Amino acid sequence: GALLSLQMAALLAAALFCGQMAKRLRLPVVLGEIVGGLLLGPTVLGAVAPALYARLFPATGPTVAVRWAVTSLRISTRRSALARDQQCS
C-alpha cells in the first residue's frame, strides 16, 4: 500500500512538473509527461541512482503486478482507440 502510493505520487509529480516545463517551452504537455516517466525509469534514475531506483521500484512484489496491469490497460486502450480511428476513416 505505502510503496504503491509513493510510486504513484512520484510518477504523478514528475509527469506534472515535466508537463508544465514542456508547456512553458511551447511543447506538447504529453511530451513533458513522457520525459517525466523516463526520468524516473531505469533509463535515467536507474543509471544515476540504481539503489534509489531499486528501492522505489523493486523488481519483485505486488507493485510489479500493478505495473503490468496498468501497462496492459494502456495498451488495450490504445488498441481500442486505434480501431475506432480506423473505423472513422
Side-chain angles (χ1 to χ4, degrees):
L3 179 60
L4 180 60
S5 296
L6 180 62
Q7 291 170 334
M8 297 302 288
L11 289 169
L12 182 60
L16 289 173
F17 176 77
C18 292
Q20 288 304 308
M21 291 299 104
K23 187 176 180 180
R24 286 184 178 194
L25 296 171
R26 297 182 183 206
L27 296 169
V29 172
V30 70
L31 181 62
E33 292 170 345
I34 291 169
V35 169
L38 289 172
L39 290 174
L40 287 182
T43 306
V44 178
L45 185 60
V48 174
L52 176 61
Y53 176 77
R55 191 160 188 192
L56 185 58
F57 300 105
T60 60
T63 58
V64 175
V66 171
R67 277 188 286 171
W68 178 84
V70 169
T71 302
S72 297
L73 179 63
R74 288 182 61 202
I75 290 170
S76 68
T77 302
R78 287 182 181 167
R79 285 183 183 159
S80 297
L82 181 61
R84 185 185 64 239
D85 289 347
Q86 288 176 346
Q87 288 176 352
C88 292
S89 346

